[in-house]
Amino acid sequence: VICMGEGEYPLLDLADAVDKKKDFTGIENLWVKKDGRIHKNAIRPLTQDLDELPFPDRELYAKYFFFRLDTIKVLITSRGCPYNCSYCYNEKLRQMYKDKGGYLRRRSPKNVIDEINTLKTKRLKTVCFMDDTFTHDRNWLREFLPVYKTSVNLPFICLGTADRLNDEEMLKMFKDSGCYGIYFGIESGNEEIRTKVLRKKITNAQILTAAKLLKKYGLKFRAYNMVGLPGETLKSVYETIQLNIDAGTDFPFCSIYMPYWKTSLCDYAVERGYLEKKDNLDDFYSSYYGYSMLKMSGIGEITNLQRFFQTAVMLPWTFPVIKQLSKLPGNVLYKLWFGIVLFWVISMSERRPAYWTFLYGIKNISMLFERKR
């Protein structure tokens, strides 16, 4: 059985059917394989009132030592995204739910506060809002942030977009409410690649303005970037590094472009001969910090630049040296250096305890040493 789309009610119907020993091959949102036949059922309308859904049962993870140690709790206050980026799953999900109700939905401020209050423990130090665009709805934020400050009063971090971080009144409210970090995507420093290939309609000027205002109000920011994009050159990778330097990115992140099958950007790469068509998910790398799957000139040097991307941004004086290092053959020392810097940036940007970051590093060390295919 595979669940297509949002799964709360489909899985409830499935559990009821199994419990009552009834047939479940016709449940909406489920594709069911039975007796060699695949039953592809229709998609039901989207749940518009997210407040009617129960909170996630985090007690399921209490038995795991790693999760018990964590001082950050992650919440999602909304579903859907107003943007249409070519590399993101939201495009396909929005198409799947065409004419099935409003795609962008949000829980009420009270519902979110109630969930946070169920999580309050001595170990909870930080709340992380992982909405695709937590900063998008300013009216909702004006209602939520003051209540958060009085009812929760814990430091928090969130995701946003640079084009929604130009409101000084809003940024001041974020700071006053306990926010200490806002994360957003730059993706590429080349504006043409970002706006035309990635379809992320945000300009360099908007990114630099957002960075300036965030610094004005003492809000740290983490910027997400990709290198090895279809058709990308060394010059555009240099532009990405330089834009992060110019913005003064506090916590730069950089991955190697990993194609997600059926997204527009993946189709773009296949159509232009950068990527062979794949039929098996095992043909893809397990981590976007490994190697590029694209066949392009200079991809080895671009991959090496990814290993030193964070270093170049945080220590700009190293950028000329890194340009030279990237021309040498990639090696395990490059990956090891990247891993050390990555885990440090995670620890600093999320204010994680040193012991948690160490355990996280041990747990995920294998992603740095996946073999090149």
Side-chain angles (χ1 to χ4, degrees):
V1 179
I2 292 176
C3 180
M4 307 291 288
E6 296 182 1
E8 285 87 359
Y9 286 108
L11 293 182
L12 178 61
D13 291 347
L14 175 62
D16 286 342
V18 170
D19 191 48
K20 296 173 183 176
K21 296 182 171 56
K22 291 184 176 181
D23 177 66
F24 51 80
T25 57
I27 295 175
E28 289 180 318
N29 284 56
L30 299 186
W31 285 18
V32 183
K33 186 175 183 180
K34 184 179 181 181
D35 300 327
R37 177 189 170 194
I38 298 177
H39 301 261
K40 299 181 179 181
N41 296 302
I43 298 292
R44 67 186 71 199
L46 285 163
T47 300
Q48 295 300 306
D49 182 8
L50 298 183
D51 285 9
E52 71 184 44
L53 302 176
F55 302 145
D57 183 6
R58 291 174 173 82
E59 290 302 315
L60 291 168
Y61 299 95
K63 63 182 178 180
Y64 298 107
F65 180 68
F66 181 73
F67 288 109
R68 290 203 306 274
L69 283 178
D70 201 358
T71 58
I72 292 181
K73 296 297 182 185
V74 176
L75 290 91
I76 299 176
T77 73
S78 64
R79 291 188 181 180
C81 179
Y83 301 93
N84 198 38
C85 301
S86 63
Y87 52 88
C88 181
Y89 72 92
N90 269 297
E91 178 190 22
K92 292 298 180 184
L93 203 57
R94 187 185 292 105
Q95 292 171 4
M96 183 190 302
Y97 277 109
K98 184 180 180 182
D99 301 324
K100 296 290 184 179
Y103 184 62
L104 188 60
R105 296 145 289 149
R106 199 154 204 173
R107 297 159 58 189
S108 69
K110 180 182 182 304
N111 184 259
V112 177
I113 297 297
D114 288 345
E115 181 182 3
I116 297 172
N117 285 330
T118 67
L119 303 176
K120 277 193 168 181
T121 64
K122 290 181 180 179
R123 190 168 291 281
L124 177 59
K125 305 296 183 186
T126 303
V127 176
C128 176
F129 294 109
M130 285 296 289
D131 307 58
D132 288 331
T133 51
F134 184 78
T135 60
H136 184 73
D137 187 340
R138 290 171 179 169
N139 290 330
W140 187 91
L141 290 167
R142 287 189 180 95
E143 182 181 354
F144 173 76
L145 292 174
V147 179
Y148 179 90
K149 181 178 180 179
T150 57
S151 301
V152 179
N153 198 30
L154 283 173
F156 73 91
I157 50 181
C158 64
L159 297 177
T161 52
D163 59 330
R164 303 299 290 179
L165 298 174
N166 58 0
D167 185 332
E168 294 200 46
E169 174 199 353
M170 189 60 61
L171 292 181
K172 186 176 186 300
M173 190 178 293
F174 267 91
K175 182 66 175 179
D176 292 343
S177 301
C179 180
Y180 68 81
I182 299 180
Y183 307 159
F184 61 88
I186 289 178
E187 314 308 352
S188 172
N190 182 287
E191 200 167 276
E192 184 172 359
I193 290 176
R194 187 188 319 113
T195 58
K196 294 183 178 179
V197 178
L198 304 183
R199 296 207 307 260
K200 193 180 186 80
K201 306 297 185 182
I202 296 175
T203 65
N204 287 0
Q206 288 175 310
I207 290 169
L208 293 171
T209 297
K212 182 178 179 180
L213 291 176
L214 287 168
K215 289 185 177 297
K216 178 178 178 178
Y217 289 98
L219 293 163
K220 300 286 187 179
F221 67 94
R222 186 156 89 183
Y224 297 105
N225 303 270
M226 290 186 284
V227 298
L229 293 161
E232 186 170 45
T233 64
L234 282 170
K235 179 177 179 293
S236 59
V237 177
Y238 292 159
E239 289 178 279
T240 305
I241 295 174
Q242 190 60 53
L243 181 58
N244 278 264
I245 291 173
D246 294 342
T249 301
D250 297 295
F251 305 113
F253 266 56
C254 183
S255 62
I256 297 171
Y257 168 64
M258 173 63 67
Y260 287 128
W261 208 245
K262 299 292 185 180
T263 57
S264 294
L265 189 58
C266 184
D267 292 342
Y268 176 92
V270 172
E271 290 166 3
R272 284 156 178 76
Y274 299 123
L275 177 67
E276 295 177 7
K277 189 172 182 179
K278 305 290 183 184
D279 297 316
N280 192 332
L281 289 177
D282 292 334
D283 292 333
F284 291 83
Y285 288 111
S286 61
S287 169
Y288 42 67
Y289 292 133
Y291 297 95
S292 174
M293 295 183 63
L294 305 190
K295 308 300 181 184
M296 301 190 309
S297 174
I299 193 62
E301 195 168 339
I302 289 173
T303 299
N304 284 344
L305 282 170
Q306 184 269 341
R307 312 299 190 219
F308 293 101
F309 187 101
Q310 294 169 299
T311 304
V313 174
M314 293 186 293
L315 301 173
W317 60 268
T318 66
F319 192 14
V321 177
I322 286 169
K323 287 180 179 180
Q324 299 305 313
L325 287 174
S326 68
K327 296 176 182 179
L328 302 175
N331 58 73
V332 68
L333 292 178
Y334 285 13
K335 296 197 76 173
L336 187 60
W337 176 257
F338 166 72
I340 292 170
V341 177
L342 173 66
F343 295 136
W344 181 87
V345 171
I346 290 173
S347 177
M348 294 297 102
S349 62
E350 299 176 4
R351 296 185 179 178
R352 300 278 192 177
Y355 62 80
W356 188 95
T357 307
F358 176 76
L359 290 174
Y360 178 80
I362 296 299
K363 182 178 173 65
N364 292 280
I365 193 69
S366 61
M367 76 178 185
L368 299 178
F369 297 100
E370 187 172 12
R371 285 189 175 185
K372 186 175 183 180
R373 297 171 185 162

